[in-house]
Amino acid sequence: MASLSRSAVIQAPVERLFEYVTTPEKLPEWLPAMVEVRDVKGAGEGQQYEWTYKMVGLLLKGQSTVVEYVPNKCSVHQSIGTINSTWTIGVEPHPEGSRLTIFVEYDVPVPVLGKLAEQIAVSRDARDFALAFENVKETLEL
């Protein structure tokens, strides 16, 4: 199982940051590999949505369910599909705005990608993950 973790201070109020990063329809705006989000149902804990994610040139499809939701604090999304993952998104007040922390655990689909492609995929995911934080900063710090 691979994992990524990153934290950054975003110059935006907690409420605005949390709403932006936990709204499924907005994921393709800031998460570079997220191609599409569709069929969003519900809100908060229990919310479900389908997605298409691009990894090493392959389009992977799946579904996510929000399994934990504390408004303006934490949201945990469990995904199943071609790639299984758990995304933990945390937001907390900071003197300069808000601190965003995202921790992702995921299974790289080795049978689909192959062992060499697995290493490439993890490396590219780390790069895309860093870019995702830059995208959030650019959008919310205007």
Side-chain angles (χ1 to χ4, degrees):
M1 181 169 278
S3 66
L4 295 168
S5 182
R6 191 169 187 94
S7 183
V9 174
I10 310 293
Q11 295 175 2
V14 166
E15 298 80 11
R16 184 169 173 229
L17 174 59
F18 187 81
E19 189 269 328
Y20 183 69
V21 297
T22 61
T23 299
E25 295 90 346
K26 295 187 188 258
L27 291 174
E29 291 179 18
W30 62 271
L31 192 57
M34 187 63 73
V35 175
E36 177 188 28
V37 170
R38 61 197 171 279
D39 297 327
V40 179
K41 295 180 178 95
E45 192 167 326
Q47 180 181 54
Q48 295 183 341
Y49 55 95
E50 294 180 7
W51 46 261
T52 301
Y53 189 87
K54 189 173 189 177
M55 181 181 276
V56 195
L58 297 173
L59 294 178
L60 309 175
K61 296 182 183 243
Q63 179 183 18
S64 291
T65 301
V66 178
V67 296
E68 182 182 339
Y69 187 86
V70 180
N72 301 318
K73 206 169 231 187
C74 178
S75 185
V76 179
H77 303 232
Q78 285 187 338
S79 300
I80 57 171
T82 314
I83 185 169
N84 298 325
S85 64
T86 301
W87 290 67
T88 302
I89 302 167
V91 176
E92 61 187 0
H94 186 276
E96 296 176 28
S98 305
R99 177 171 297 284
L100 171 63
T101 302
I102 301 177
F103 177 69
V104 183
E105 289 183 300
Y106 62 103
D107 292 322
V108 178
V110 176
V112 174
L113 296 177
K115 202 66 175 157
L116 177 60
E118 175 186 19
Q119 294 170 340
I120 294 168
V122 171
S123 174
R124 286 190 183 168
D125 279 352
R127 185 185 68 212
D128 285 349
F129 199 57
L131 181 57
F133 274 75
E134 290 304 313
N135 290 342
V136 171
K137 286 177 84 62
E138 284 179 10
T139 300
L140 297 183
E141 291 183 352
L142 295 175

